Amino acid sequence: MREKLNGNPMAQAGVVLVLLIAVGFFLLKGMGGGEEGEEAAPTEATVAVEGTGVTGTATGATPGEAVEGAIEAAGEQVSSSAATAVASSVPAPPLPRDVTSAYESGKTVVLLVVRDGGIDDELAKDAVEGVRSVPDTAVFVIPVHEIARYAAITLGVEVDRVPALVVLRPKNLSEAGPEASISYGLQTSQSVEQAVRDARYNGPTASYHPE
């Protein structure tokens, strides 16, 4: 058991949580002794998971409920943090060759992620067809079940729903590495063309500061 804890940070965090439950419960229980019959005020409890910076706070009708709620909140954060760490540590698969070739050749790459049968998705597919004829533009319509093949792009712009229009800025205009914009929902031919123009813009910018 000792070897498992020493080699597994998540197991260590789990033990800390268990200890916090036990210590927090008995401390709060020992502080309970009021007169019988009085309505107890809600109790707030906060726990911290050592070595992670994660805390959980909850309020309960009794000290025990408050501690349990705080532990549950902290546990959810630990699980979420672990999932994020695992996802970020797993490298994305290589992009399909035609996408890589289009980007490396300096084209504006347009990706449209859609699901089958969606009304907005079908309209968006029609909208992107209009930019296929635009010089130096490469259009790719991606069924949502194939999105993992494009994770190197879709994870970077955090695609979380469809239809999603992702436009990559041409490589020769991206000084600090690949750049992309994302927009969701209904698309028109005008909105797609504007996204392509915005991706290619290489002129001065101005900001407005109201007095």
Side-chain angles (χ1 to χ4, degrees), residues 41-99:
T43 302
E44 182 179 277
T46 299
V47 298
V49 182
E50 185 177 357
T52 66
V54 173
T55 61
T57 301
T59 302
T62 66
E65 290 181 2
V67 172
E68 289 178 2
I71 292 298
E72 183 178 350
E76 290 176 354
Q77 292 190 53
V78 170
S79 298
S80 177
S81 299
T84 300
V86 170
S88 62
S89 65
V90 177
L95 289 168
R97 185 174 300 177
D98 49 356
V99 176

Side-chain angles (χ1 to χ4, degrees), residues 14-178:
V15 172
V16 173
L17 286 173
V18 172
L19 292 176
L20 286 171
I21 293 174
V23 174
F25 178 79
F26 286 114
L27 285 177
L28 291 173
K29 184 177 181 182
M31 296 169 59
E35 296 183 2
E36 294 184 2
E38 292 184 359
E39 184 177 349
T43 302
E44 182 179 277
T46 299
V47 298
V49 182
E50 185 177 357
T52 66
V54 173
T55 61
T57 301
T59 302
T62 66
E65 290 181 2
V67 172
E68 289 178 2
I71 292 298
E72 183 178 350
E76 290 176 354
Q77 292 190 53
V78 170
S79 298
S80 177
S81 299
T84 300
V86 170
S88 62
S89 65
V90 177
L95 289 168
R97 185 174 300 177
D98 49 356
V99 176
T100 301
S101 298
Y103 178 74
E104 291 295 333
S105 66
K107 293 183 178 181
T108 304
V109 176
V110 178
L111 304 179
L112 178 67
V113 186
V114 295
R115 69 180 185 279
D116 293 334
I119 296 175
D120 287 353
D121 303 76
E122 294 300 322
L123 293 174
K125 285 195 288 186
D126 291 340
V128 298
E129 290 300 319
V131 298
R132 288 188 184 274
S133 59
V134 176
D136 297 322
T137 301
V139 176
F140 301 90
V141 177
I142 306 166
V144 70
H145 63 269
E146 295 183 8
I147 194 172
R149 299 178 59 203
Y150 303 82
I153 297 173
T154 57
L155 287 178
V157 294
E158 300 181 352
V159 173
D160 58 12
R161 56 189 183 275
V162 294
L165 177 70
V166 181
V167 181
L168 273 70
R169 188 169 171 82
K171 183 178 180 179
N172 63 309
L173 300 180
S174 302
E175 298 179 357

